[in-house]
């Protein structure tokens, strides 16, 4: 047992910065090494949301870094303040309270269910840049976080992909729980809601399901447009909504379309979604994009010169997620070529024309060819039921590429990839999205594959 050398943390962070640059955040500097005991390095993380995030997404990378820095075969464990007091936390009853992000084991706190709905410490109000396109949505979100159930109910935020809906939803959760730690907040994707509903029906556990969704102060459902076409879940959601609404609990929804424009949504739900505040997020203007790029690079402790930030913001004008992708590319190239970030390097990293040249979509066959070639997997394995990581990951990336670069539906993509159902495809897409955010190598692989399938299209054209 012993206190780690005070420089250990800095050395670990330096190691992470050079090996996993896109994962690193400035708040990693606040992580406090406690002790090395029984071959385990314990790291104290005071912010519950950060703690949960590290536990879920970063253990592998920290372990590798700790081992490399100390030259010992250490395990890494992130612990919170609560862990210091009680050494044996009560086992969780997942059937009633799926997750407690604040490490609390009573019936309170910030709950979120599925893996990919992890609250990201990045998605706070502090890191949300306000501009003309999102001013109303931001103001309404802030008001709701401060006065749940009393400002606007429901709050319905809609807008295109990558414009900050999930960010705002998670910021509300984080602020509300900070104001009142006793608040019960449940944050879930619409697919999570549907899956849990179907599981509960099958297992005959509807009472537990209802307890979980109706016994909260704030219910936050992301991507509610996925509710379309599912009659029984619409029915259940309708009752969940009413039960919460009538007792003055806050409901917050995000969607890619206006309530009336969600296909196959029952009238009674449309009208309920419309009865609070409906706020739209528009594409960000140039100034907002510059500010976002700066904010994102600050978060990563990255020193991005002004002209580079302006260049990225001018070059990428639609989806904000792509702004981040550009930062990742630039950061990656700077690391590989061991040069500081400047305009030349940025042009090299993201200078190639994007968007318009990709107007023709690749076929799923082309995507599958690219995947089998890139990962050296057999087609039969790719389409088989095998779940080994070496095959499952390429398969998930294939589904992700098909969703992003073709117009096929989730069902169609599932059938191409060995007859899988749409929820599997959905899950794959969300897995890849969240893995890309924290795994630089994977992110690069996907980017390379994207380049490949877009040049293939041009290639086929010339033949
Ligand atoms: P959506 O859910 O609408 O598809 P997200 O909330 O996932 O989009 O946002 C995509 C990315 O863009 C996230 O990294 C998010 O932090 C970032 N983002 C979007 N809007 C803003 C903003 N106004 N300020 C800072 N970052 C933003
Ligand atoms: Mg989203």
């Amino acid at each position: 047992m012993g206190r780690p050398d005070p420089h250990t943390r800095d050395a670990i962070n330096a190691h992470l910065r050079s090996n996993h640059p896109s994962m690193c955040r400035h708040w990693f500097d606040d992580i406090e090494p406690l002790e090395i005991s029984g071959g385990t390095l314990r790291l104290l993380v005071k912010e519950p949301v950060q703690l949960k995030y590290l536990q879920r997404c970063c253990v592998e990378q920290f372990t590798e870094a700790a081992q490399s820095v100390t030259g010992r075969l250490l395990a890494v464990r992130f612990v919170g303040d609560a862990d210091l007091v009680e050494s044996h936390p009560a086992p969780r009853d997942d059937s009633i309270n799926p997750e407690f992000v604040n490490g609390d084991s009573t019936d309170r706190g910030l709950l979120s269910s599925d893996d990919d709905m992890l609250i990201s410490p990045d998605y706070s109000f502090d890191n949300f840049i306000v501009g003309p396109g999102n001013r109303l949505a931001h103001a309404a979100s802030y008001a709701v976080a401060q006065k749940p159930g009393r400002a606007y109910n429901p709050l319905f935020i809609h807008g295109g992909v990558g414009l900050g809906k999930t960010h705002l939803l998670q910021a509300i959760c984080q602020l509300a729980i900070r104001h009142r730690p006793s608040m019960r907040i449940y944050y879930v994707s619409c697919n999570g809601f549907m899956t849990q509903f179907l599981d509960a029906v099958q297992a005959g556990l509807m009472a537990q399901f209802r307890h979980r969704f109706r016994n909260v102060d704030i219910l936050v459902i992301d991507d509610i447009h996925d509710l379309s076409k599912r009659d029984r879940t619409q029915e259940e959601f309708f009752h969940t909504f009413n039960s919460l609404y009538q007792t003055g609990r806050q409901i917050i929804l995000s969607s890619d379309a206006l309530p009336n424009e969600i296909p196959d949504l029952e009238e009674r739900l449309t009208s309920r979604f419309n009865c609070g505040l409906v706020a739209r997020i528009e594409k960000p203007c140039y100034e907002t994009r510059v500010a976002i790029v700066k904010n994102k690079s600050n978060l990563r402790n990255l020193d991005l010169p002004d002209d580079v930030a302006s260049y990225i913001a001018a070059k990428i004008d639609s989806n904000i997620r792509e702004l981040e992708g550009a930062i990742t590319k630039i950061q990656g190239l700077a690391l590989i070529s061991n040069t500081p970030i400047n305009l030349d390097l940025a042009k090299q990293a993201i200078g190639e024309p994007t968007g318009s040249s990709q107007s023709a979509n690749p076929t799923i066959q082309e995507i599958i060819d690219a995947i089998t070639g890139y990962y050296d997997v057999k087609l039969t394995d790719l389409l088989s039921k095998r779940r080994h990581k070496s095959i499952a990951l390429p398969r998930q990336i294939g589904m992700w590429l098909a969703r992003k670069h073709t117009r096929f539906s989730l069902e169609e993509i599932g059938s191409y990839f060995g007859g899988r159902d749409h929820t599997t495809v959905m899950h794959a897409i969300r897995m890849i999205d969240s893995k890309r955010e924290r795994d630089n190598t994977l992110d690069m692989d996907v980017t390379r594959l994207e380049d490949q399938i877009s040049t293939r299209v041009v290639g086929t054209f010339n033949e």
Side-chain angles (χ1 to χ4, degrees), residues 123 127-129 134 160-167 292 296 320-321 324:
Y123 293 175
N127 293 328
F128 191 84
I129 306 295
N134 59 29
V161 177
L163 297 186
K165 301 182 295 295
T166 297
H167 188 139
I292 291 175
K296 294 284 176 201
I320 301 173
R321 215 167 282 149
E324 275 197 282

Side-chain angles (χ1 to χ4, degrees), residues 15 188 250:
H15 183 95
V188 68
Q250 179 71 47

Side-chain angles (χ1 to χ4, degrees), residues 221-235:
I221 301 196
D222 208 349
D223 294 330
I224 195 72
H225 53 261
D226 286 328
L227 200 60
S228 58
K229 283 207 191 122
R230 320 240 161 247
D231 304 347
R232 290 175 67 199
T233 20
Q234 284 201 22
E235 166 93 28

Side-chain angles (χ1 to χ4, degrees), residues 33-323:
L34 287 175
E35 57 174 11
I36 298 178
S37 135
T40 300
L41 167 64
R42 300 209 310 154
L43 298 170
L44 176 65
V45 185
K46 297 212 165 120
E47 280 291 323
V49 174
Q50 293 174 357
L51 174 64
K52 190 82 194 173
Y53 183 81
L54 290 166
Q55 286 170 335
R56 283 272 194 95
C57 304
C58 310
V59 172
E60 214 175 289
Q61 294 86 341
F62 271 80
T63 307
E64 180 211 300
Q67 294 181 349
S68 148
V69 162
T70 60
R72 297 172 53 185
L73 206 61
L74 292 178
V76 164
R77 216 164 87 85
F78 295 108
V79 297
D81 279 330
D83 298 301
L84 298 184
V85 190
E86 44 167 336
S87 52
H88 298 290
R92 290 172 182 158
D93 178 357
D94 276 359
S95 58
I96 299 182
N97 297 312
E99 288 293 343
F100 292 88
V101 175
N102 64 354
D104 200 332
S105 54
T106 59
D107 197 11
R108 301 183 273 117
L110 182 46
L111 323 169
S112 73
S113 72
D114 29 7
D115 270 353
D116 11 51
M117 297 308 282
L118 182 62
I119 302 271
S120 165
D122 287 357
Y123 293 175
S124 61
F125 279 114
D126 285 347
N127 293 328
F128 191 84
I129 306 295
V130 184
N134 59 29
R135 202 176 299 283
L136 174 67
H138 170 267
S141 299
Y142 200 82
V144 161
Q146 286 186 310
K147 292 187 175 152
R150 287 184 290 146
Y152 311 98
N153 205 12
L155 173 61
F156 186 100
I157 297 178
H158 74 107
V161 177
L163 297 186
K165 301 182 295 295
T166 297
H167 188 139
L168 274 181
L169 260 45
Q170 297 198 5
I172 298 175
C173 294
Q174 299 194 50
L175 184 61
I177 200 77
R178 175 152 307 178
H179 275 188
R180 261 190 44 205
S182 63
M183 187 84 81
R184 287 160 309 176
I185 306 179
Y186 197 46
Y187 172 68
V188 68
S189 67
C190 182
N191 281 301
F193 178 85
M194 297 195 293
T195 314
Q196 290 184 52
F197 171 66
L198 296 176
D199 288 350
V201 170
Q202 261 181 5
L205 292 172
M206 276 314 289
Q208 279 183 12
F209 175 88
R210 295 202 169 118
H211 174 84
R212 190 184 313 151
F213 281 95
R214 298 182 189 186
N215 193 29
V216 296
D217 299 307
I218 307 182
L219 178 64
V220 186
I221 301 196
D222 208 349
D223 294 330
I224 195 72
H225 53 261
D226 286 328
L227 200 60
S228 58
K229 283 207 191 122
R230 320 240 161 247
D231 304 347
R232 290 175 67 199
T233 20
Q234 284 201 22
E235 166 93 28
E236 182 60 30
F237 182 71
F238 177 74
H239 295 300
T240 308
F241 186 104
N242 287 342
S243 155
L244 292 171
Y245 185 78
Q246 281 155 11
T247 46
R249 305 326 159 66
Q250 179 71 47
I251 300 154
I252 303 161
L253 306 167
S254 83
S255 158
D256 66 1
L258 274 168
N260 322 35
E261 287 166 6
I262 299 177
D264 303 306
L265 191 69
E266 292 171 17
E267 219 291 306
R268 56 182 181 169
L269 278 172
T270 311
S271 67
R272 278 184 175 60
F273 292 176
N274 272 317
C275 71
L277 182 78
V278 176
R280 178 175 168 80
I281 306 189
E282 306 274 357
K283 283 186 184 162
C285 64
Y286 172 73
E287 283 73 22
T288 311
R289 296 200 301 278
V290 173
I292 291 175
V293 170
K294 289 188 175 162
N295 173 276
K296 294 284 176 201
S297 43
N298 280 342
L299 265 176
R300 298 182 184 195
N301 250 345
L302 196 66
D303 206 4
L304 208 64
D306 282 351
D307 57 349
V308 174
S310 316
Y311 175 72
I312 301 175
K315 185 107 192 131
I316 295 166
D317 60 3
S318 46
N319 180 330
I320 301 173
R321 215 167 282 149
E322 287 174 16
L323 289 177

